[in-house]
Structure formats: C-alpha cells, structure tokens
Amino acid sequence: MEDSSSGPDSGQVHDSSRRKFLVNSGYVLGTLAVGGVISSLFGCAKDGEDNADSSAPADDNKEAAAPNYNRALMYFTQAQFRIVEAATERIFPEDESGPGAKKLGVAFFIDHQLAGDWGFNGRDYMNPPFFAGEKEQGYQGRLKRRELFDIGLRELDNYSQTTHGKGFAELEPDQQDAALKAFETEEVKLTTISAGSFFKMLRSATLEGVYSDPLYGGNLNMEGWRMRNYPGSQMSYLNIIEKDFTKIEPSSLQAHLASH
C-alpha cells in the first residue's frame, strides 16, 4: 500500500502547514510580548470594550490618525508614571506660551531614557571606590539613574503621604510645588540619596524631554520647539541663509527617517 505522505505534493502540503503554524504562532507570541500594540494592528479589543472602528461609520473626509507607539511605558510602573507626570508638569507647567510637560509627553521621554543606556549609566565609569564628590562634580555613587529614580519617586510619595495624607499625584498644585521645593532645598533628609540631587536630575530630564526631538518620546508634535521658534532637524538652510529672520515650520528626525 502506497504511503500518501510520499506523493509528489506532500512537501508543498507540509510546507504550507508549517508556514501557517509559524504565522499563527507569531501572532500569539507577538501579542504576549507587546500586548496592545498587536491588538491595535489587528483591530482587537478587550472584552467589554467597544471597537470604535467597527461601530462608527467610516468618514472619508478624515484621515485615520497614525498610532503613536512612543506612548508606551518601557520602565515605569503606572504609579511611578503618574508621579513623574505630575512632578514634571509643576516643573514645566502649561501657560499662555504653550503646553506643559504633561501634554508634551515628558514623562514618556524620561521613561524611555531610563529603559536605555542613560538609565543604566551605560557611558559612565561605575567602578569602586566611591567617594562623596563636590556639588560641581555631580553624583558620585554606585546607584544607577533608574535606581535613583525608583528611590526618589518613592520618597517623594512617602513625603506627600506623611505631610498631606495623599500621594504626590493626588495633591493640589501648590502642595506639589511645596513638596518639590522641600526636595530641591534638601529640607527632606534621605538616607540613601540626596533629595536635592534627585530634584536636579528630575528637572534636567524634564527640560530635555520638552526640547528633545519627538523621536525620543517627548516634545509631542514639536510644540516645545514651536514655543522657541526652533526649526528642529532641518536638512539644509541654503534657501534662506541669506535672508532676514524667517520663521519656518520645525522638522523632526522622524520625518527624515520615514523618508528613507
């Protein structure tokens, strides 16, 4: 009796089945790895949630907004993110000049930086011995920046709970300002880190998030640059270099990468 698996088309059948299995497995593994990213690509919704695309009629006059994958946490917990978002908004608040740190996505910028080399002090010499340095020398300890943020955010929330009976993110703006000022002036005494050094690092990271290229998670829609009339990452100024001051639309590295 002839084995049907040895026929001339059996290899194609096996290859087809194998490819189908790998594709399906890839979707499953991808969903486990990145969660909502894959779900958004395939239009999936959680149980009990409405799918806006399927329930709403298509509007031919509006282009679908591209998903912004920079709005995903890489390091912070949700609780830490809320503290950072509230703190950075007090450091760089919204006013008549433009949006504040929250709308600019500064907390996402800091989160992404802590998840990378900056958070691991990847380019710093981190071997002992460790001695207390002068203020001009900056931090000289063994802890990495991500560890300093973990401790600083926890202590900021503990201080808020002790002082006002609420977490930092739940405080009124003037109470948040007072808490941050207490850290800046080192009125708050911490055992493991310097409260003033933590505030200085948080403030510097906030300003970097406001004015960095949107490619890195902050400066959403280049609004930070627009407030300064900064042109961003222009490829050339040849057509305006001999003209008087010209206000031009800023450009991000994202646009240049997309064009190549």
Side-chain angles (χ1 to χ4, degrees):
M1 182 176 180
E2 185 177 359
D3 187 354
S4 59
S5 62
S6 62
D9 297 329
S10 61
Q12 296 178 2
V13 173
H14 288 174
D15 288 345
S16 176
S17 300
R18 189 178 300 112
R19 284 195 296 270
K20 184 177 181 181
F21 169 77
L22 290 174
V23 170
N24 291 338
S25 300
Y27 292 161
V28 174
L29 292 174
T31 304
L32 291 175
V34 296
V37 176
I38 294 293
S39 297
S40 64
L41 289 175
F42 290 94
C44 299
K46 294 180 180 179
D47 292 341
E49 293 181 355
D50 293 333
N51 189 323
D53 292 337
S54 61
S55 60
D59 188 347
D60 295 334
N61 296 325
K62 294 182 180 179
E63 293 183 3
N68 189 342
Y69 298 118
N70 266 346
R71 294 298 176 266
L73 295 182
M74 298 180 179
Y75 180 72
F76 287 141
T77 65
Q78 289 292 337
Q80 288 175 320
F81 178 79
R82 286 192 293 271
I83 297 171
V84 173
E85 194 172 52
T88 55
E89 179 66 17
R90 297 315 304 156
I91 294 172
F92 195 91
E94 181 176 3
D95 60 15
E96 64 278 0
S97 300
K102 183 175 182 178
K103 288 186 178 178
L104 291 171
V106 169
F108 285 106
F109 167 83
I110 297 175
D111 169 79
H112 296 359
Q113 293 300 303
L114 290 175
D117 283 349
W118 188 77
F120 283 103
N121 293 65
R123 298 188 179 185
D124 298 341
Y125 184 81
M126 296 292 290
N127 292 326
F130 299 100
F131 299 107
E134 300 296 328
K135 287 187 176 181
E136 293 78 12
Q137 293 178 297
Y139 178 70
Q140 299 290 310
R142 69 179 69 243
L143 296 175
K144 297 178 174 62
R145 291 187 184 94
R146 51 169 43 199
E147 296 170 322
L148 293 172
F149 262 87
D150 287 344
I151 296 171
L153 294 176
R154 182 176 66 246
E155 295 296 345
L156 180 60
D157 212 46
N158 289 342
Y159 176 80
S160 302
Q161 288 283 359
T162 302
T163 308
H164 301 286
K166 297 179 181 178
F168 181 83
E170 284 71 48
L171 297 181
E172 296 297 324
D174 59 334
Q175 295 173 328
Q176 292 175 338
D177 290 346
L180 290 172
K181 190 68 177 178
F183 268 65
E184 180 184 19
T185 60
E186 297 200 355
E187 174 187 331
V188 179
K189 303 300 181 183
L190 304 179
T191 56
T192 37
I193 65 172
S194 162
S197 295
F198 168 70
F199 175 81
K200 184 177 180 180
M201 183 170 59
L202 176 62
R203 182 182 182 275
S204 296
T206 298
L207 296 179
E208 289 168 9
V210 169
Y211 297 117
S212 67
D213 194 284
L215 180 68
Y216 301 104
N219 189 14
L220 184 62
N221 296 327
M222 299 178 286
E223 292 299 328
W225 289 346
R226 288 191 176 89
M227 284 188 282
R228 294 281 185 174
N229 288 326
Y230 178 68
S233 304
Q234 300 290 330
M235 298 300 290
S236 173
Y237 296 95
L238 188 61
N239 59 332
I240 60 170
I241 196 169
E242 295 183 355
K243 298 181 181 179
D244 294 333
F245 175 78
T246 303
K247 185 176 180 179
I248 58 179
E249 182 67 10
S251 177
S252 166
L253 287 171
Q254 287 177 313
H256 304 316
L257 291 174
S259 64
H260 293 81

